[in-house]
Structure formats: structure tokens, C-alpha cells
Amino acid sequence: MTTADSKPRVFSGIQPTSDSFHLGNYLGALRQWVALQETSDAFYCVVDQHAITVSHDPKVLHQRSRTSAAQLLALGVDPERSALFIQSQVPEHALLNWILGCETGFGEASRMTQFKDKSAKQERTTVGLFTYPVLQAADILLYQTDRVPVGEDQRQHLELSRDLAARFNNTYGRTFTVPEAYILKETATIKDLTEPEKKMSKSSSGPRGCLNLLDEPNQMRKKIKSAVTDSEAEVRYDAENKAGVSNLLVVYSALSGTAIDKLEDEYRGKGYGDFKSDLAELVAESLEPIARATREYLDDKAELDRLLTKGAEKARAVASRTLAKAYKKVGFYPPVAN
């Protein structure tokens, strides 16, 4: 759905499953969310309903949702240009999820690779975890989304969203925009600082391997300086043979805007000590303002809640129209207004 000002609509969400986003979230996706506001009609969501597909503490979830929203604002998501909201504030997500679940084959859901990965790590696997790609489809389709900024690891889920949109449209008549993947090809993939062969992750990285946006500056410096490198002393990009140094070069390039080959030239003949020391300062200087702004939003609860309510109202104005159309197409009675 291209809006009146000809901007394509984008939707993306992030789970509030930790006390802080990490450097990989920021460089891999969230910084691009901010940039997309310039060219898109953006809807950004803290997907707390997805977060309860595994065991959780309700009080912790509530606080993490607030902290996630505050961080998005601190990163530059502008509530005047984008709709920023908490998923559970917009009940249409759950209502459309049921309709789409009734259009999803059991075999389709069974083939979702992330369910296999996540269920293997859980003692108790829920139906919600099994069907959460359907809720993800509802998230996207509610907003008549043109483009979804995703990494390659989410492409399969987006394909399910596309399939469900097309299937529903073919069965009941045109209802949903069929979304396109917006793969950020130049996006940095940040690796674990202690195990650089794997992606930095909220769930699987250890405390030294995951650099959080809300870490104290000295914590950030310490994590960079203790990051795994190798027995050589050459600052050179070689992802296969020098994974640790290559990861740090990716971080340095992403934060500084300096090409990796230029950084290799700059540190030619210098040891890892100088390289890590300079990077540690760059990381601390780049991220500390984000942490400071996050604290300011969290300290003014009334203003943060006002911004989220405003975003949810904007989201519901779109979502309710889509849901009403889907209700009518499948033969439901319309919801009774409060």
C-alpha cells in the first residue's frame, strides 16, 4: 500500500527479551529503521506477544517492553514520522492471528526452521511458539505493508506472510498487500566478541561476548579490549582465518563510516593493542549518548507512555480498517465498539 505521499509502508518489530539491545541489533537492523523513516511510512513495534511464547516473568516483560521502546526513541525513531507502539496495545494483532492461523497448513508451520531451533532449547514447547510465524504474518499484513526490513534468517517467515496474503486474497478477494522483503545487503552482521564464529545474540552470547547498548562506557571498553583475536598481530580482514579481527573491523567500519580497506591501511604495522584501544573509545563514544537518552525517556514515564499511546492510536487506525475488511470477507460479525 503506497501512501498518499508516495512513500512505501514498512513494518518491523523487535522482541523485548533482554534488558538492553546489543550492538548487533543496532548495526544489523535498528540503525536502518531510523534511516527508513526518511523514505517510508514506518510502523515499528515492540512485539511483546511474541515474547510470551517461552517462559517469562510478567513484571520483567513489562519493564523490558518499556526499556525497548525508550531505546528505539533514543536511537532516533521519531514518533512524529513513525508509529512506535507496543504490540499488545493493538488487539487487532491477536484477532487477525486467529484468521490467518485457520488459513495456515500444519505442514507449512512445521517447516519453519526457527521453531525447530528454538524448541530444541526449551524444556516446554508451546503451541504459541509453534504458531508465532502466523502472528508475525498478522503483524505485517495488518498494516498493508509494502516492505519488511529483514535479515536472511527471517526470509522464510516473510515468505509465509506472502503466501498467506496471496492465499487469502485468492480465496476471499483482495484484502492484503503482499509484502516484499527489504533485505539490507550492506548491513553489518556482528559476531560474538568471544566466539566470533557465531552471531552476537541476546540468548546465546555470554556476558563478555555481547556488547549491550546500555552497558557503562568502561564495560564497553573492557569487552572490546578483551575480544578474541588470534596469535598474529596483523589487522587484516579474513573472515575465515581471522574471524575475531574481521568482526572488530566490521564494527569499526560500521561505526566510523571508514571502509575496511582504509582501516587495514591505517593499522598496517601496528599491533592489536592500538587497534582495540581506538575501537574501544569509538564504541564508548558512539553508544554512550544512546544509553543517556534511554535513561531520560525512562525517567519521564508519563511522556514515554504518551508517545506509545500516540503510536498505538496511529497503528490502530490502520489495523482496525484491515481487520474489519478481513472480518467481512470471512463472514464474521464486526466487533462491537466500546
Side-chain angles (χ1 to χ4, degrees), residues 194-230:
T194 57
E195 299 179 75
E197 68 281 356
K198 70 181 187 180
K199 188 176 178 180
M200 187 177 287
S201 167
K202 295 179 278 192
S203 58
S204 61
S205 292
R208 290 175 54 243
C210 188
L211 199 156
N212 298 307
L213 299 189
L214 301 186
D215 282 343
E216 293 294 330
N218 283 338
Q219 286 180 289
M220 297 179 188
R221 294 184 181 98
K222 186 175 181 180
K223 288 180 180 181
I224 293 294
K225 289 180 179 180
S226 64
V228 167
T229 50
D230 51 57

Side-chain angles (χ1 to χ4, degrees), residues 45-90:
C45 181
V46 177
V47 289
D48 56 343
Q49 291 176 335
H50 288 284
I52 68 168
T53 57
V54 296
S55 296
H56 74 288
D57 180 316
K59 290 182 179 179
V60 172
L61 173 62
H62 188 80
Q63 182 56 40
R64 285 177 171 176
S65 296
R66 294 176 56 79
T67 302
S68 296
Q71 286 177 90
L72 291 172
L73 291 165
L75 287 166
V77 171
D78 182 354
E80 295 301 321
R81 293 188 293 169
S82 302
L84 174 63
F85 59 100
I86 309 295
Q87 185 183 28
S88 57
Q89 293 181 292
V90 181

Side-chain angles (χ1 to χ4, degrees), residues 2-17:
T2 301
T3 54
D5 59 1
S6 297
K7 288 184 176 181
R9 181 166 289 160
V10 300
F11 174 90
S12 198
I14 189 166
Q15 287 199 43
T17 50

Side-chain angles (χ1 to χ4, degrees), residues 113-131:
T113 56
Q114 286 210 0
F115 168 74
K116 297 173 185 176
D117 293 341
K118 291 185 177 183
S119 61
K121 300 173 184 176
Q122 306 296 325
E123 291 184 6
R124 173 176 169 267
T125 301
T126 67
V127 172
L129 182 62
F130 181 68
T131 61

Side-chain angles (χ1 to χ4, degrees), residues 66 73 79 296-297 300-309:
R66 294 176 56 79
L73 291 165
E296 290 172 358
Y297 279 111
D300 192 344
K301 180 180 178 181
E303 175 62 7
L304 179 56
D305 286 348
R306 185 189 73 79
L307 292 174
L308 291 173
T309 298

Side-chain angles (χ1 to χ4, degrees), residues 33 55 96 135 142 152 167 180 188-189 217 251 260 271 305 308 332 335:
W33 286 19
S55 296
L96 183 58
L135 176 57
L142 267 177
E152 283 292 343
R167 183 178 306 151
E180 298 287 340
T189 298
V251 172
I260 287 176
D305 286 348
L308 291 173
F332 283 175

